[in-house]
Amino acid sequence: MTRRRQDRVLGILIRRGDWVTAATLADQLGVTPRSVRSYVTAVNARVPGAEAIESGPAGYRATGAAAAVLRAGAETDPGTPRERLHGVVRALLDAGDGIDVHETADRMHVSSATLEADLGRVRSLLGDGAGLTLVRAGSRIRLVGSELAQRRFVSRLAHDEMDEGAFDLEALRRAADAMAIPSEALGAFKSDLVARLGELGYFVNEFAAADVVLHVAIAADRVAQGRALDAVHGDPEPARARLADIVGELTSRHFGVELGQGDRLHLAALLLTRVVVPGSREEPAVAPDPRIAAVVRAAVERAAESYLVDIAHDDFVERLALHVQNLVHRAREQAWSRNPLTRTLKSAYPMIFDVAVSIAGELSVTLGVPIHDDEIAYIAMHVGGRLERSRRAETMLTATIVCPGYYELHELLRSSVDRSLGRSIEVTGVETRVDPDWSAIDSDLVLTTIEPPVHVTGLPSERIVRIQPFLTDADVERVTAAAGRVRRARRLGRLRAELARYFAPGAFLRGVDASRGEEGVIRDLGALLVAQGVIGDDYVDSTIERERLSSTAFTETLAVPHALKMTAARTAIAIGISEQPITWGDARVHVVALVAFSESDRPAFQTVFEQLVEVFGEPESAQRLVRRGVDLSSFLDELAAVIDG
C-alpha cells in the first residue's frame, strides 16, 4: 500500500464531490476493490477522531476534512524513496565536481546498492532532450549540463510534487520545500509581481504566474550558491528591460538575493512568454511575427471551415498568434507551461478541445514544434472564449410571463426577470389576462404568477414555472433549474435522433481485447467500418495520428477516437466495450466509440460528439451501459433510457 495511491483516492473523491463506487475507483487506480477499501481505511487512520472519506451503500465520498488530509499527505515522510531521490538530486546539483557514491550513501544512512538504484531513477528522469547527463568516474558521479538545463530539471521535479490540477500558493510552497527551494517569500513575491504587471497594463495569466514564481525562487537559490547565469550581450528590448528591473527589485526585497543581468533578463523573458499579454492601458500594442500570424490564420481558417465554428476573426487570430509566438519560444527552450484546467476542458468541452487539437496539429507541423496537452488546453481557452458569445445566443431560451394586470405589476415583474435572468432568458411576451390561451403560448418557458389548468394541450408541465408577483431568489433558482432541464432535454433529444442514424449495424464489438492498446483497438473497430465501405484504411491511420496528438479519453469511461478530417463516405459510429479497463492515454476506459464523420454531416459533429461525451460523463450511466450493452440493440435501448432520464 502506498501513500501516493491513498492520496490519489482522496484527489478523485474531492474532484468528484459525490459518491463514487469502489469499482470505479479500482478501475481508475488499476487495482482491486479490496485494495481501495484498504486505502480508505489507511486514509481515515490519518485523521484522529474523525474520517476523511465517508463510506455508504453508494460507495465512498470525501468529507470536509479530506482537503486538509490531502495537503498534509503531500509532505513526504523522511527516508522514503522520493525523499532520497530529492536528496540525491540536490547533492548532484550542489556539487560541481560530483558526489562520491559510498560517502553519500553513508551520509543518507542507506547502502551503496540503494543509492545506485536511486541514481538509476535519476537517469530515467533525465530522459532524452533534457540537456543533462550523469557522468561517472570510479565511485564519483556528477551531473553535466548547462545551468539552464539544471534549473529546468529542478522545476520539473518540483512540478511533479504538486497535486494534479493544483496551482494554489500552498501547493507551490510544498513543491518548493520538497526540492529545498526557499518558499517563505513566494506569496508576497507573487502578489507584488502581479500588482506591478497590472500597473504596466498587462493582462496576467495566473496559472502560469505560479510557475514563473517558482523559477524565480530556483534562480535566487542558485545565485546564492554562486551559480548565476551569464550576462546577455546587447541591449534588450524596452519591455524586457523594464520587466527585468521589476524582477530584480522584487527578488532583492523578498529573497534577499541580488540577481545579475543574465538572471534578470532570463526571468523577464519567462514573464513575457508565459505570464503576460499586452493590455489596453500604458503598454503599447505588440504585433506578432508576420510569419507566425500567417500560419495561425491559416490553421484557424481551416479549423473554422472543418468544424463550422465562428472563430476566423482578426482580433482572435492576432491574440492567438501572440500566444503561439510565446509557445514557439517555450518549445525551443523545452520550458512548457502547465494548465490545471486541461482535464476539465477536455471532458466538459470536447468539441472545443478538438478544434484546439486541429489548430495545434497544423501549427506543430508547419512551425516544427511539439505541442503538448497543456499547451493545447490554452489554445482551447482562446477558442472557447471566442465561441462564448455565439454560444450564449444559441442557448438563450424564450419565456412568456403570465401576470394578470394590476397597475404596473406586470411591468415590474418583467423588469425583475430581465435583471436577474436576462443573460439566459429572453422575455418574448407578457400575458396580463387572468384566463390566457395557454395552448397558444409557444415560448420555451412560461413564468406564471397564477395556477395554470391541470392539463394544457401542447404545453408540457416542465415548461411551466410558478413564480411570485415580486420575484424572489427562490423563483430565480427554480427558473434557472427549469431552463437547464429544457436545454438538456433539447440537446439529448437531438442526440437521440442523430445516434439512431449513425450507429452502424454490425459495428459493435463486445469483449474488446484490452491488451491491444489504443492503436490496436482503433484498428479493430476501424476494420468493422472498412468492411462496410464507410471508411478506408487511410482514415484509420489518420485516426491513430489524431490520437498521438492528444488522447481522446474525454471521460473516465469513454474514449472517442476520430480523424481530424471528415473524409468518411457517410457518418457512422463503431462501438467497442471491454469489461476490463483499457489504458488510454492517462485514463482507463471501458467504452471506445470510433466516430467516422463525412463532409456532408459536419453540422452533426457538435451534437453527436459533445452529447455522447455528456452521457458517459455520468459514472452511473456509463456503468449501466457497460453492464447491460451486450449487443448493439440492447446498447441503444439502454442509451435511449439514459437519455430519457
Side-chain angles (χ1 to χ4, degrees), residues 187-234:
F189 181 96
K190 181 173 178 291
S191 297
D192 284 354
L193 177 64
V194 171
R196 295 289 293 276
L197 293 174
E199 291 170 2
L200 289 177
Y202 286 109
F203 294 124
V204 177
N205 176 357
E206 280 280 351
F207 299 133
D211 178 52
V212 172
V213 169
L214 181 61
H215 275 276
V216 172
I218 293 171
D221 180 52
R222 300 292 286 176
V223 169
Q225 299 178 52
R227 297 176 180 271
L229 294 178
D230 294 333
V232 178
H233 298 291

Side-chain angles (χ1 to χ4, degrees), residues 19 65 278 397 404 620:
W19 293 100
L397 298 180
E620 293 74 18

Side-chain angles (χ1 to χ4, degrees), residues 41 49-50 55 77 101 134 137 173 181 212 250 269 292 311 317 319 393 410 426-427 439 453 492 542:
T41 301
S55 303
D77 294 334
V101 172
L134 286 179
R173 284 199 181 102
I181 302 166
V212 172
L250 295 180
I292 290 179
I311 57 175
V317 170
R319 174 113 350 145
H410 60 284
E426 179 185 4
V427 176
S439 61
L492 294 182
S542 180

Side-chain angles (χ1 to χ4, degrees), residues 467-535:
I467 60 175
Q468 304 303 317
F470 302 103
L471 200 68
T472 67
D473 290 342
D475 292 330
V476 172
E477 291 176 4
R478 283 197 299 274
V479 174
T480 301
R485 290 193 296 270
V486 170
R487 291 191 187 95
R488 176 177 170 81
R490 185 178 294 173
R491 292 196 308 268
L492 294 182
R494 288 198 304 265
L495 172 65
R496 185 176 184 180
E498 298 292 353
L499 294 183
R501 292 173 51 201
Y502 297 134
F503 274 108
F508 183 90
L509 185 59
R510 176 86 191 189
V512 170
D513 184 356
S515 66
R516 294 269 289 155
E518 298 172 9
E519 294 189 10
V521 173
I522 289 173
R523 293 196 182 280
D524 290 344
L525 293 177
L528 300 178
L529 297 180
V530 170
Q532 297 185 25
V534 175
I535 57 175

